[in-house]
Amino acid sequence: MPSEHRTLIPALAALAHKRLLFFAGKGGVGKTTVAATVAFTLARHGKKTLLIELDDSARASRLLGVPATDEPATGPRPVSPSLFVLSTSGQLALEEYLGLIIPFKPLLRTIVESRAYQYFVAAAPGLKELLTIGKVWYEERKREAEQPLWDVIVIDLPATGHSLQYLRMPRAAHETFGGIISREAERIASVLHDPEKTAVNLVTTPDELPVSETHDAYRQLTEELRLPMGALFINRMRTSPLSAAALHSTTLHGTLSTKDRQFLELLLRCGHTEAVETDIQTARLQSLQSLPIPRIPIPFVVAEAGDETLVAQLSRELTTSVLDPAPRSRRSGSPRSRAPRTSRVETSHVKSEE
């Protein structure tokens, strides 16, 4: 009997060759879940992956089953031998840096808890964003036996408006400041603008406001920031195997009990509603066809029950099923061969975590 294995869908396989994968999108579109699922999937396919979430909510950590801690972790926490997660922010990055130059912990705590320090962190324009992206850059530079420690780093950015500030700051800091800050900012910016290393991915839903914001984000990322783009993940897509017109014209024939007829009529109405919603979403997404980046639709489906996490369930949907042929008879002496690969489009669902 042939056995089945799974390979990455083409759009994700292309992203797997990058070093930094940023995920941006309007709040509430499921961006964190998409980023966590991509990180999990790449790790399962042999990439040593680090997922960085740029806030202290730890949503991605919870999705990956990492238990909460009382103290913020300053380093990556393991999910599996090939997947790690790190929650960070500008303030945490600054405190980590201060810890390197002030090893005396009581003094360090006194400084970071002081009113003057808190005011400085809050008031300094762009400081938190610059330090946070600097932490991403620091992880990208890590080496082990002269090889990169991480094959891929997936970065879950905040909501769209704020996320662009993170991506904008290294270039702005290079142009504004002098000395070591300018030099370090330029080194960070050079990595962000390198299409061989970096890709910014957008996440949206087929709703009017997210679609509009996706267009605006794409314009800013490509025209103003000139950053390399990856893919567009379209979350919560409705699908219907039958058209609204076909369902509307369907009538019930034959002898049915009143209960059965009522039940079947209800099913037809539900199917018609789903088909209409599918048509509406298709129309809303029409304008996104003009964006010259791959699109990965993610249909809205109720999560399966079971022991698997939601991310593990979704991970299968970012892959394509492939069948290996049954091995030839040992008596033939012929080596095993592979049949030509065929693929089918897999879909998935993403539950909003924002």
Side-chain angles (χ1 to χ4, degrees), residues 51-77:
L51 171 62
I52 301 180
E53 49 183 343
L54 301 189
D55 59 37
D56 54 5
S57 66
R59 288 193 188 100
S61 299
R62 293 196 300 272
L63 282 168
L64 293 170
V66 178
T69 59
D70 295 332
E71 295 293 330
T74 58
R77 303 178 67 194

Side-chain angles (χ1 to χ4, degrees), residues 21-27 29 31-32 34-35 155-164 167 199-204 213-214 217 221 229 231-233 354:
L21 298 178
F22 290 91
F23 284 80
K26 182 178 174 61
V29 298
K31 171 179 54 61
T32 297
V34 171
I155 305 98
D156 176 29
L157 291 166
T160 305
H162 198 191
S163 67
L164 297 183
L167 297 172
V200 181
N201 305 277
L202 294 171
V203 182
T204 188
E213 190 162 318
T214 297
L221 288 166
M229 300 300 298
L232 171 61
F233 291 80
E354 296 150 325

Side-chain angles (χ1 to χ4, degrees), residues 4-330:
E4 182 181 83
H5 69 280
R6 306 183 76 84
T7 186
L8 298 174
I9 60 174
L12 187 56
L15 295 178
H17 297 291
K18 310 289 185 180
R19 295 272 296 136
L20 298 176
L21 298 178
F22 290 91
F23 284 80
K26 182 178 174 61
V29 298
K31 171 179 54 61
T32 297
T33 308
V34 171
T37 300
V38 168
F40 185 90
T41 305
L42 294 177
R44 290 186 63 183
H45 283 76
K47 298 286 185 178
K48 189 173 182 181
T49 305
L50 173 64
L51 171 62
I52 301 180
E53 49 183 343
L54 301 189
D55 59 37
D56 54 5
S57 66
R59 288 193 188 100
S61 299
R62 293 196 300 272
L63 282 168
L64 293 170
V66 178
T69 59
D70 295 332
E71 295 293 330
T74 58
R77 303 178 67 194
V79 178
S80 70
S82 57
L83 178 60
F84 294 75
V85 62
L86 171 66
S87 299
T88 190
S89 65
Q91 186 163 340
L92 288 175
L94 178 56
E95 291 174 13
E96 182 181 358
Y97 172 73
L98 291 175
L100 297 175
I101 61 177
I102 307 175
F104 187 55
K105 290 187 177 180
L107 176 58
L108 175 62
R109 183 172 297 276
T110 299
I111 292 174
V112 300
E113 292 179 354
S114 69
R115 182 175 299 179
Y117 173 85
Q118 298 295 332
Y119 176 80
F120 170 73
V121 172
L127 175 64
K128 291 185 289 186
E129 290 83 359
L130 180 60
L131 288 170
T132 304
I133 293 299
K135 176 66 173 176
V136 173
W137 176 73
Y138 171 76
E139 292 293 338
E140 193 275 335
R141 283 171 51 85
K142 280 186 177 179
R143 296 293 185 269
E144 188 175 67
E146 300 184 356
Q147 295 297 320
L149 177 60
W150 311 111
D151 295 321
V152 182
I153 300 176
V154 176
I155 305 98
D156 176 29
L157 291 166
T160 305
H162 198 191
S163 67
L164 297 183
Q165 285 296 104
Y166 281 86
L167 297 172
R168 181 179 289 112
M169 274 311 300
R171 185 68 74 191
H174 168 65
E175 296 172 352
T176 303
F177 301 105
I180 188 172
I181 295 180
S182 177
R183 292 194 298 272
E184 291 301 303
E186 171 60 18
R187 294 171 71 182
I188 296 171
S190 66
V191 173
L192 296 185
H193 287 79
D194 185 349
E196 296 296 320
K197 289 186 175 182
T198 300
V200 181
N201 305 277
L202 294 171
V203 182
T204 188
T205 55
D207 301 299
E208 186 175 354
L209 288 179
V211 167
S212 176
E213 190 162 318
T214 297
H215 278 283
D216 186 56
Y218 181 84
R219 180 189 59 79
Q220 293 186 60
L221 288 166
T222 56
E223 297 179 11
E224 297 178 19
L225 302 183
R226 299 183 181 277
L227 290 168
M229 300 300 298
L232 171 61
F233 291 80
I234 306 174
N235 189 22
R236 300 191 200 124
M237 283 286 291
R238 299 277 181 177
T239 57
S240 176
L242 297 174
S243 69
L247 288 167
H248 182 72
S249 62
T250 299
T251 57
L252 300 176
H253 299 283
T255 303
L256 295 170
S257 67
T258 301
K259 184 178 180 179
D260 287 344
R261 181 174 292 276
Q262 290 175 341
F263 178 71
L264 291 174
E265 287 175 347
L266 179 60
L267 285 180
L268 286 174
R269 287 200 297 272
C270 290
H272 182 264
T273 300
E274 188 72 8
V276 168
E277 183 63 24
T278 298
D279 291 341
I280 292 172
Q281 291 191 351
T282 300
R284 288 176 183 157
L285 293 170
Q286 191 63 38
S287 63
L288 293 178
Q289 299 293 328
S290 63
L291 301 184
I293 56 176
R295 290 174 291 280
I296 302 178
I298 306 175
F300 179 83
V301 181
V302 177
E304 299 174 13
D307 295 332
E308 276 192 319
T309 65
L310 173 63
V311 167
Q313 293 175 28
L314 297 178
S315 177
R316 293 196 305 271
E317 312 304 336
L318 289 179
T319 59
T320 299
S321 174
V322 179
L323 292 179
D324 284 331
R328 295 182 182 182
S329 170
R330 292 181 180 274

